[in-house]
Amino acid sequence: MAIIITGGTGKTSSRIARISLDAKIPFLIASRKGQDGVPSGMPAVKFDWFDPTTFENPFQYKFANGENITAVYLVHPGQGDPKDFMNPFIDIAFKKYGVHKFVLLAGSTITNGGYFMGQVWKHLFELQVEHNILLATWFMENFTEWLHPTSIKQENKFYTACGDGKIPFVSADDIAASAFHCLTGTKPHQGYRILGPELLTMDEAAAKISKALGRTIRHVKLPDEESTKRFQEFGLAEDRAKFMTGLETGTAAGAEGNFGAGSVRELIGRPPMTFDEWAQKNKNAWN
Ligand SMILES: NC(=O)c1ccc[n+]([C@@H]2O[C@H](COP(=O)([O-])OP(=O)(O)OC[C@H]3O[C@@H](n4cnc5c(N)ncnc54)[C@H](OP(=O)(O)O)[C@@H]3O)[C@@H](O)[C@H]2O)c1
């Protein structure tokens, strides 16, 4: 058994690599940076979703004990229509190299055959290959590793168009643990909602970060256009910035608030981390 982890050095992929290393499960990180960009002791190859000449690199890698690649973790790179590049890669992995299991990270509102990652889910379904789709809500790590840490540190504020929408925030640790169990075990081929244990608004998340930090952090509610502008300033292309604003305004309208308990406990055998536990553990990121 060996697993390929796309999404390189990203929030969930880096954690799956760490869990795999600790569990002594052979793995390979597929990153734009190749071996140079990953922590020492972690094997990696150069892989770029927008350069198909790199798609076979993971399959050329020789594992120490000749292990075969049995499963692939699929992460969207943050731009582009996923069916255009993920489906061709899945075809190579499945048809040419015999990979029989795929675990796909997607957003919580994705459906089989629906928009965006729904077209990758549909492709896996039609290939009749083993697949687990992780339908994740907003990550807690957006406050520490992505959108919000700089403004929290510099202005004691973060900005969203999520309004007062409720969100079952989940930690990347719990997503990674869920993914690891899917990659290395046998779970029914279906979508799993990957959610945290409590519904919170962004204002309530700000209050919890404030409590952990001992200083007041404020959530600033943005109108749509301001949100798109902010995403663009953050480096996203205009279409992706509008897409992300759509996710935030969908959240404001209640899109994340009605999913029930989610599947983390079922997948990993323990409850997901609460926001308070997570904020306490990660508070140094805001100092
Ligand atoms: N953040 C959230 O709250 C959230 C919620 C639900 C779903 N999701 C979904 O989760 C996925 C990942 O989002 P994320 O925010 O967690 O990002 P992330 O995994 O932290 O970052 C994406 C990673 O993809 C790799 N990458 C970027 N461009 C690439 C390319 N051209 N080819 C190959 N790899 C590339 C990068 O690693 P290297 O630099 O090492 O190549 C990067 O670290 C997205 O599909 C997103 O829609 C995110």
Side-chain angles (χ1 to χ4, degrees), residues 143 147-159 213 215-218 230 285-287:
F143 295 104
L147 268 180
H148 307 307
T150 306
S151 68
I152 291 178
K153 272 193 262 189
Q154 294 177 355
E155 304 167 42
N156 291 322
K157 291 178 193 160
F158 63 89
Y159 301 79
L213 264 180
R215 70 175 200 264
T216 302
I217 306 299
R218 215 161 56 76
R230 237 187 124 69
W286 300 302
N287 286 322

Side-chain angles (χ1 to χ4, degrees), residues 81-96:
D81 184 338
K83 72 173 180 324
D84 295 344
F85 47 89
M86 290 185 136
N87 292 359
F89 173 71
I90 289 166
D91 288 343
I92 290 172
F94 175 56
K95 294 176 184 165
K96 189 163 176 187

Side-chain angles (χ1 to χ4, degrees), residues 30-47:
S31 160
R32 287 168 303 176
K33 302 167 197 140
Q35 191 65 64
D36 295 341
V38 304
S40 69
M42 295 212 175
V45 288
K46 236 183 203 338
F47 181 87

